[in-house]
Amino acid sequence: DEVFTLKLIRGKWSYCSKFNYNSFSVKTTRYLYSRMSNNNNNGNECSSNNKKFIFASCQLMVTDNKELNLENAKEKIIEAVEKHKANVITLPECWNCPYSNACFPDYAENVEENEGKNAPSYQLLSSLAKEYKVIIIGGSIPEKTGDNKIYNTCFSFDKEGKQIGRFRKIHLFDIDIPNKITFKESDTLSPGKDFCLLETEYCSIGIGICFDIRFPELARVYQKLGAKLLVYPGAFNLTTGPAHWELLQRARSVDYQVYVATASPARDMNASYNAWGHSSIVNPFGEVIATTDHDPSIVSAEIDINYVDEIRTNIPTINTLKINSESMTIAD
């Protein structure tokens, strides 16, 4: 019956929740408010004095050649480190695999089997993180498990190449816009049940994948846990992309006073699914501070944790919220 648990992953704590959006998990809410009340920094935590760091989003061209996709990822990660001086790097959603239900099973990797040694995408990111002493948020890859399920999963690694987080996409992309786009991830993929907060030397980072950005409840949980940066690898399309991609990033940043970073695949008009691109970084005041078009590129910007604190002090929505999410009543 537990709705909120802590998992120890390779020596580091990761926060995991099995929450119900219909009730917004009373137990989870109470725990989060308890954690807030014991924190003297407005619910914000940073595990070191590194208040500024460089974040980079790699927008990659994804092909049906998995080996080529891995080479492209390696090239961009190295470029992000050497040219952009990045401390934290993210890749796009489904960077090792075409975004297609037909492809997910064939490109999926079993990370739990043989300690991930038979998972080339996983091993690549781990080795690059260790070699270049950088934190890598691994976009997402199809992950298969021993019970024959496939997840859309983001693995994250610290500067020693150790896994510090695993997030399985919670809200699957099942949409039908007549005469424009129909896609149903649930035909192949299973939804995740846990959320993932990365406790890094720079700040706490909350992870979501693509469609998850449409659900503010997830971002709210991360804010309660002290996140100052939310990262959403995503592959919005040519219908929803121009309408909602930037809008949602700015909404999450303003609502929860956090930096928001996204990474999209580059656009390939010859593919069955056409990504919008436009990877971006948005500051906690809702300003887009770095973005690009639809071609392969790297987007980078300085993340200033002091600025998050400043915004939260100047516009104190965290501590002045009057709506009680347990009873859905308005406080006196």
Side-chain angles (χ1 to χ4, degrees):
D1 295 329
E2 289 292 325
V3 295
F4 192 91
T5 59
L6 290 171
K7 288 185 179 179
L8 186 63
I9 299 178
R10 301 190 183 183
K12 295 195 176 182
W13 289 106
S14 291
Y15 297 94
C16 301
S17 170
K18 298 169 183 162
F19 52 90
N20 183 342
Y21 279 137
N22 293 327
S23 63
F24 192 50
S25 176
V26 172
K27 289 184 180 179
T28 299
T29 304
R30 285 176 179 162
Y31 180 90
L32 298 179
Y33 273 100
S34 173
R35 190 168 191 256
M36 284 279 288
S37 65
N38 292 327
N39 191 340
N40 294 323
N41 192 27
N42 294 330
N44 310 326
E45 294 184 353
C46 188
S47 55
S48 80
N49 293 320
N50 297 328
K51 293 292 187 178
K52 296 182 180 181
F53 64 96
I54 302 298
F55 186 92
S57 295
C58 297
Q59 185 163 291
L60 308 179
M61 182 62 73
V62 179
T63 73
D64 58 6
N65 184 325
K66 187 173 182 178
E67 291 184 2
L68 179 58
N69 294 335
L70 267 63
E71 284 298 319
N72 288 340
K74 180 179 180 179
E75 178 182 316
K76 286 298 183 186
I77 288 172
I78 295 173
E79 181 181 347
V81 172
E82 294 183 346
K83 293 186 178 181
H84 295 255
K85 308 303 179 185
N87 307 109
V88 183
I89 299 169
T90 189
L91 297 181
E93 180 182 25
C94 292
W95 61 270
N96 74 341
C97 168
Y99 188 75
S100 164
N101 277 317
C103 294
F104 294 150
D106 293 334
Y107 289 73
E109 299 181 7
N110 190 332
V111 171
E112 297 175 348
E113 185 178 75
N114 197 22
E115 298 182 344
K117 294 179 181 177
N118 299 328
S121 304
Y122 181 93
Q123 288 297 321
L124 174 69
L125 300 188
S126 175
S127 64
L128 289 173
K130 182 177 182 178
E131 180 178 358
Y132 290 93
K133 301 302 177 185
V134 64
I135 294 172
I136 295 180
I137 299 169
S140 80
I141 63 172
E143 176 206 6
K144 62 183 175 183
T145 59
D147 55 1
N148 295 319
K149 290 184 177 181
I150 300 175
Y151 297 93
N152 190 343
T153 304
C154 176
F155 293 99
S156 297
F157 303 89
D158 67 13
K159 295 180 179 181
E160 298 302 319
K162 296 178 180 179
Q163 180 187 319
I164 55 172
R166 179 184 67 186
F167 177 83
R168 291 168 171 169
K169 187 175 185 177
I170 295 173
H171 304 96
L172 298 184
F173 182 58
D174 287 1
I175 70 165
D176 183 10
I177 302 177
N179 303 317
K180 291 185 177 180
I181 183 171
T182 299
F183 201 99
K184 194 173 183 181
E185 277 188 328
S186 62
D187 283 345
T188 305
L189 303 177
S190 295
K193 296 181 180 180
D194 302 329
F195 58 85
C196 176
L197 185 78
L198 305 180
E199 297 282 11
T200 77
E201 64 193 81
Y202 305 108
C203 68
S204 298
I205 303 173
I207 307 297
I209 297 176
C210 200
F211 209 54
D212 288 319
I213 199 174
R214 291 186 178 273
F215 298 85
E217 295 87 348
L218 181 62
R220 180 68 170 170
V221 169
Y222 285 140
Q223 181 212 49
K224 289 289 187 182
L225 288 173
K228 297 189 177 181
L229 168 63
L230 303 182
V231 178
Y232 295 94
F236 271 48
N237 54 72
L238 301 189
T239 298
T240 60
H244 299 153
W245 182 235
E246 181 181 311
L247 174 67
L248 286 164
Q249 294 173 65
R250 297 182 68 194
R252 295 295 82 81
S253 69
V254 171
D255 286 345
Y256 301 109
Q257 298 175 316
V258 291
Y259 281 91
V260 172
T262 58
S264 168
R267 190 181 308 168
D268 180 2
M269 292 307 296
N270 294 317
S272 61
Y273 183 93
N274 309 127
W276 172 239
H278 296 267
S279 303
S280 302
I281 301 173
V282 181
N283 71 20
F285 200 64
E287 299 168 320
V288 179
I289 57 175
T291 190
T292 186
D293 54 19
H294 58 267
D295 293 322
S297 59
I298 295 175
V299 174
S300 66
E302 181 180 76
I303 305 298
D304 184 355
I305 302 306
N306 288 322
Y307 187 56
V308 178
D309 298 337
E310 178 183 331
I311 292 296
R312 292 181 177 186
T313 298
N314 294 344
I315 310 175
T317 57
I318 295 176
N319 293 332
T320 58
L321 178 66
K322 299 297 184 181
I323 298 173
N324 186 323
S325 58
E326 292 185 28
S327 62
M328 297 304 292
T329 59
I330 298 176
D332 294 331

